[in-house]
Structure formats: C-alpha cells, structure tokens
Amino acid sequence: MTKLRLAIVGAGPAGIYAADILLKAEKNFDVSIDLFEQLPAPYGLVRYGVAPDHPRIKGIITALREVLDTGRIRLFGNVLYGRDITLDDLKKHYNAVIFSTGAARDADLDIPGIDLEGSYGAAEFVSWYDGHPDVPRAWPLEAKEVAVIGNGNVALDVARILAKHADDLLPTEIPSNVYDALLASPVTDVHVFGRRGPMQVKFTPLELRELGELRDVDMIVHDEDFDYDEASKTAIASNKQVLVIDKVFTQWRAREAGTASRRLHLHFHAKPVEVTGDGRVEGFRYERTAPDGQGGVIGTGEIRELPVQAVYRAVGYFGSPLDEIPFDEKRGVIPNREGQVLDDSDHPLPGVYATGWIKRGPVGLIGHTKSDAMETIKHVVNDQANWWAPTHPDEQSVVDLLVERGVEFTDLSGWHRLDEHEKALGEPTGRARIKVVPRDEMVTVSRASH
Ligand SMILES: Cc1cc2nc3c(=O)[nH]c(=O)nc-3n(C[C@H](O)[C@H](O)[C@H](O)COP(=O)(O)OP(=O)(O)OC[C@H]3O[C@@H](n4cnc5c(N)ncnc54)[C@H](O)[C@@H]3O)c2cc1C
C-alpha cells in the first residue's frame, strides 16, 4: 500500500488537528506523520497565548495531548524550520508538508510615539506572562496608569492581567518571576481604548463579564459612549452576543461608584492619535469618534489626552514569513487556496500546504483551526498525483539528519517528562503546575534520558 510520509511544521492546535483529521480520514494509503516544532514543548498559543487564568481553555491541551498520545505521530520539538530543517530536507524525506506556524508577533500601529520606551506590543507581554522561553524574563511593570489599545479578547486579556491582583493569579500556572513582578506592580488604573462604539467590539461576552468579577477592581464606563445609533440598536436586536454585551454594560452603568484600589476603564469612540512623552511614555492622545450610522465611525476632531506611563497595543497578531515559502506581506499569511499553497502565478505548489492562523490570518478561536484543517487535509488526500517523491522516505533517516546536525530535538516522551516535572514543581504549593521558562532547562529536562 502507498504510504504518505507527511511533515507538519508547527505543533499548535492547527498542526495537531490536521494530523488527527488525516489519521481519521478515509483514504487508500497509509500515513506516517512527523510534527516539527521550534519550541521544546507543543501546543503553540494554547500554552503560550491563552491566558493562565483561563484554565478551561488551557484544558484543550488534554484533547490535543490525546492526539499525540495515539502513538501515530512523532514529535520533533526544538527544531526550527528554516534553520534546523529546510524545504530541501523535507522534499528528501517526505511526500508533502503542511505549514501550521501560526502568527506570533504584533501587528503594527502607525501612530507617532508608538516606539517610545514604555510602549509595548501585546504579543510580547502575553509571551512574558505565559512563560515563553524566547522573551526576556524581566518585564518593567512600573506604570500606575496604563493604556491598552484594542477592543478584542487579547486587549481584555492584557488589561485583566495588568489589573488583577497577583495573588488572584497565584493558583494558575504563571511562572514565579511573573507572579513576583505582578505583585510589585504599582498599577492603579488600566484604560482600554476602542475606536468604535460599545456595540461594535470584537471581544466576546464571557471575556467582558469576567472583568466585572475581578476582586478589588472597579469597572468604569462612560455614559457618553452609550448614545446608540440605529446600527447599534439593530445589532442588539439581531445578534445575541451583542445583546449580552449590552446587558453587561447596562449592569455596570447602574452600579454605585466603587472604592476598589484598582480601576479598569473602558473608553469607546476613542481613536488612537499619538503616544506622547519625552523619550518615554507620558500620555496617550486620542480623537473622539462618532457613529456614522452604518456601524462604522467618523472622527469628530475633538482630541483628548490621558496621562499614562505605559501603552500596550493589542491591535492584532501577524504571521512571519518562512524560508522558501511564498508569503503575503500585506496579510501576514501564506497565500493559499483552501490550504493549497500558491506560487507567484497563483498555481498550487505541489506538496506544500498550510493550515491555521498562517493560512487564514490571526482571527478566530482554537475550534476554528479544526475546520481549517479539514479543508486542507481534503486537498492533501486528493492531491496524491502531486506529492513529492522523496529519496529518503524511511523514518530513521530524518532522525539521523537531525543528530548529524547536532540538533538537540525533544520528542513526545521528553514532553511527558517536562509536563510531569512542571506538575511536580507546583505540587508543594498546591498549584497545578509551574512552567519551566528557560529553553535550555526545558530541553535538559525533556532530554534527560538521551
Ligand atoms: C493572547 C491570545 C489569547 C487567546 N485566547 C484564546 C482563548 O481563550 N480561546 C480560544 O479559543 N482561542 C484563543 N486564542 C486563539 C488561539 O490561540 C488560536 O486560534 C490558535 O492557537 C491558532 O492555532 P495555530 O496552530 O494556527 O497557531 P499557533 O497556536 O500559534 O501554533 C503555531 C506553532 O508553530 C510553531 N512555529 C512557528 N514557526 C515555526 C518554525 N519556523 N519552525 C517550527 N515551528 C514553528 C510555533 O512555535 C507554534 O507552536 C488566543 C490567541 C491569543 C494570541
């Protein structure tokens, strides 16, 4: 029987779901899958993006782990495509490759002052609090007043982690250095700014409601933002999510002024204009907008400014190009048609596929990467005539290649070892786990039996 030797690059949910769907798909060939991941641990943004105080979502890892544990997928962690393994290598060893490398960096926000000291991208901060090995371990939490730009779930994650008292994060898996830094944070006011109105937000009701439940944090919204236009009223009447969001705001607006030591302010109709300061952030300037009647906004020319000492922009993630693979610089994705990667003339590149955020762009929940993967796998299965013809298809030869290159790769049993190690670290203090952050320590623990 024909055998498909498939490489998947990126062990986030998209890559793991793609492997699972392929293994379960009806097909007239055998399959052997190798999953390459640049980090020593799998699960992508589920481990390094989803907030630590969202254990239910982090729990998706259990389902992803079940897929890896079927024993039908080999994991090669700590292997970076483009450095440790190249497209030529993949062509020698596999019939096809799926790229599921996600999107890890911040989209740009082009306003004056955005590069001042004290102005950060949300992705950097998220990577820090989630213990990503490739970001600095120290984070300057010196600001009393902070601006968070953006109206999606990531903006709310960032605002919540900044405003929440560190002790309320202690039961989660936050690394110790993150707890220590948050404990010492002098923050009193976190201001979240959205360009559009409260009925045009991108965040979900659950994430919003959660903010109102934070201990010793008052939610502040402003009546002037709730003068709904027809488009907002229609949205409330026709969309259940929007209706729930409106209810949450209505409850908050009816609350008495609080006495909490920290405040989380939501400002709508506030278009970022400038981050001000002499060398470092001292303020945030924005233009008041007004509804345009069609669900959008127009500038009013009225400029306001708030003193802040730090700015976090949460205006979206962006994908990164991969060696020898076409890239759409505008959208930050690999150009593709239903997961078939396209060359410059829009023709499918034989043997090369994409799935997840690098295919579709950085929007949508973990569950969406499943439907993505289904679409991509359909093409992998049906494109048999276009698969590559590898010269070294045996499973051992790629292992030999990595060993020969001195790549200190980790495998699935290594991940189990690290997983157990992290749980053991948490045990004495009753925590579910304490993440190991330094890459070399992750690799050492994972490779302990090599
Ligand atoms: C801050 C944040 C919070 C979120 N919270 C939620 C939530 O609460 N609920 C929810 O459903 N969704 C949430 N999401 C969305 C969710 O994380 C994504 O939908 C999902 O992770 C996308 O999956 P992916 O596999 O495409 O990408 P990723 O999860 O990013 O995985 C890509 C993997 O590829 C690896 N990789 C990249 N480049 C290379 C290379 N050159 N070589 C080898 N490996 C490489 C990366 O290390 C990574 O492990 C959140 C996203 C963010 C950013």
Side-chain angles (χ1 to χ4, degrees), residues 94-111:
Y94 299 93
N95 299 100
V97 58
I98 300 178
F99 289 99
S100 47
T101 48
R105 64 193 164 106
D106 287 287
D108 292 333
L109 176 66
D110 193 14
I111 56 170

Side-chain angles (χ1 to χ4, degrees), residues 274-295:
E274 185 179 357
V275 180
T276 58
D278 185 8
R280 60 164 305 122
V281 174
E282 290 169 20
F284 177 69
R285 198 170 282 165
Y286 59 97
E287 180 184 3
R288 184 92 186 132
T289 67
D292 67 0
Q294 280 142 40

Side-chain angles (χ1 to χ4, degrees), residues 49-62:
V50 171
D53 55 347
H54 282 173
R56 197 178 56 80
I57 310 290
K58 289 271 188 204
I60 292 176
I61 283 179
T62 311

Side-chain angles (χ1 to χ4, degrees), residues 144 146 148 159 162-163 187-192 263-266:
K144 286 178 86 164
V146 182
V148 177
L162 285 167
V187 75
T188 57
D189 292 86
V190 177
H191 298 268
V192 180
R263 285 158 297 279
L264 210 161
H265 311 248
L266 298 183

Side-chain angles (χ1 to χ4, degrees), residues 110-129:
D110 193 14
I111 56 170
I114 198 71
D115 294 326
L116 284 175
E117 203 184 320
S119 169
Y120 311 102
E124 293 171 69
F125 182 57
V126 167
S127 295
W128 172 74
Y129 69 60

Side-chain angles (χ1 to χ4, degrees), residues 9-16 36-39 41-46 48-51 54 57 60 79-82 100-104 122-123 126 129-130 132 153-154 157 207 317 321-322 355-360 363-369 372:
V9 178
I16 296 177
F36 294 95
E37 167 57 51
Q38 59 150 334
L39 291 168
Y43 311 133
L45 283 171
V46 187
Y48 291 114
V50 171
H54 282 173
I57 310 290
I60 292 176
V79 178
L80 179 72
Y81 169 84
S100 47
T101 48
V126 167
Y129 69 60
D130 252 343
H132 194 293
N153 279 341
V154 176
D157 278 350
E207 288 256 354
Y317 275 53
L322 293 158
T355 197
W357 273 18
I358 196 65
K359 164 189 176 185
R360 181 168 38 86
V363 282
L365 298 174
I366 297 162
H368 294 126
T369 63
D372 263 352

